[in-house]
Amino acid sequence: INGDEGIKFDSSVIRRSDNEIYNNTIINCNSGLGIYLYNEEDQLIENNIIKQNVIKDSKTGIYITDIWKLFDHNMFFLNKLINNTLNVYDAYQSHTIYWDNGSIGNYWDDYDGVDANDDGIGDSPYYIYKANTSKDNYPIWEDGDDFAPSIIINSPSMNDNFGLNAPEFNISIHDDSPINTTWYTIDSGTTNFTFSGLTG
């Protein structure tokens, strides 16, 4: 919290391959970087996994400096990037970094796509800044319930005639999300009558 860099992965001082960086919470690196991958040497950096980290309120969430473009088979997934000035910056377009594991990627709060089928994954990729060909193919995204509820009127039947007394009704409702309000109208919506339950 409140540091220059939350985590600095420097090829000159740590083992370069087969590391896992996970389950960290990095907050408020306003003067620096949340996760900083730094490679100024001619070193191969490969098979590292960065996952399940929360990076928020920082100048740049993930910053990659790879002059030699030797980051190979490194993977980011299940990370949450929230309220950073810039969520990710790949200075030298390290194209061999994977931003998803083939089925799920990361949560980017500036993702501008939609999740029309409500499966929790954005329907279009999230493109990594500066790396025009690098993208998160499965960004984690929830934009609310897009499907209307299925309502079946069990009774009364269509075109039934009634006198002065309103008929009893019975309905079935199917929806993935809880129904907040249930109502009916007999004057095309000028007056709505709310009710609870499935009968009345």
Side-chain angles (χ1 to χ4, degrees):
I1 297 176
N2 301 324
D4 286 337
E5 292 106 15
I7 295 173
K8 184 175 182 180
F9 189 110
D10 188 336
S11 63
S12 64
V13 297
I14 68 172
R15 188 176 62 164
R16 297 170 180 88
S17 300
D18 304 308
N19 297 285
E20 284 196 13
I21 300 172
Y22 62 96
N23 289 345
N24 298 284
T25 300
I26 302 166
I27 301 174
N28 200 31
C29 295
N30 284 321
S31 61
L33 316 167
I35 293 181
Y36 184 22
L37 275 69
Y38 177 76
N39 183 23
E40 279 194 345
E41 301 179 8
D42 186 5
Q43 300 290 342
L44 182 64
I45 298 176
E46 61 182 355
N47 301 324
N48 298 293
I49 295 175
I50 298 94
K51 65 178 182 178
Q52 297 172 323
N53 300 288
V54 176
I55 309 157
K56 61 183 296 188
D57 301 325
S58 297
K59 183 178 179 181
T60 304
I62 299 170
Y63 191 100
I64 300 169
T65 300
D66 180 20
I67 294 173
W68 301 95
K69 296 186 181 180
L70 291 174
F71 282 113
D72 191 24
H73 293 95
N74 298 283
M75 184 179 298
F76 289 79
F77 66 99
L78 290 175
N79 299 288
K80 294 181 180 179
L81 291 107
I82 304 167
N83 199 37
N84 301 295
T85 304
L86 182 64
N87 276 333
V88 60
Y89 183 84
D90 186 350
Y92 293 95
Q93 302 184 28
S94 303
H95 301 302
T96 55
I97 289 181
Y98 300 104
W99 296 97
D100 58 75
N101 68 358
S103 60
I104 193 166
N106 305 277
Y107 174 81
W108 313 91
D109 70 349
D110 60 347
Y111 176 68
D112 60 2
V114 298
D115 176 23
N117 62 357
D118 288 335
D119 65 353
I121 302 295
D123 298 336
S124 57
Y126 179 92
Y127 287 90
I128 305 307
Y129 185 65
K130 286 289 285 183
N132 296 328
T133 60
S134 189
K135 57 189 176 182
D136 180 345
N137 294 291
Y138 304 98
I140 299 168
W141 192 247
E142 171 58 55
D143 59 4
D145 185 0
D146 297 314
F147 295 107
S150 169
I151 302 173
I152 300 170
I153 300 175
N154 302 313
S155 65
S157 300
M158 289 289 289
N159 300 317
D160 281 353
N161 292 316
F162 298 90
L164 294 176
N165 296 321
E168 290 290 316
F169 66 83
N170 181 285
I171 62 173
S172 299
I173 300 175
H174 303 281
D175 193 58
D176 290 335
S177 300
I179 302 297
N180 294 327
T181 305
T182 314
W183 53 268
Y184 67 88
T185 181
I186 57 176
D187 54 11
S188 300
T190 301
T191 306
N192 296 332
F193 300 92
T194 60
F195 63 91
S196 60
L198 302 175
T199 59

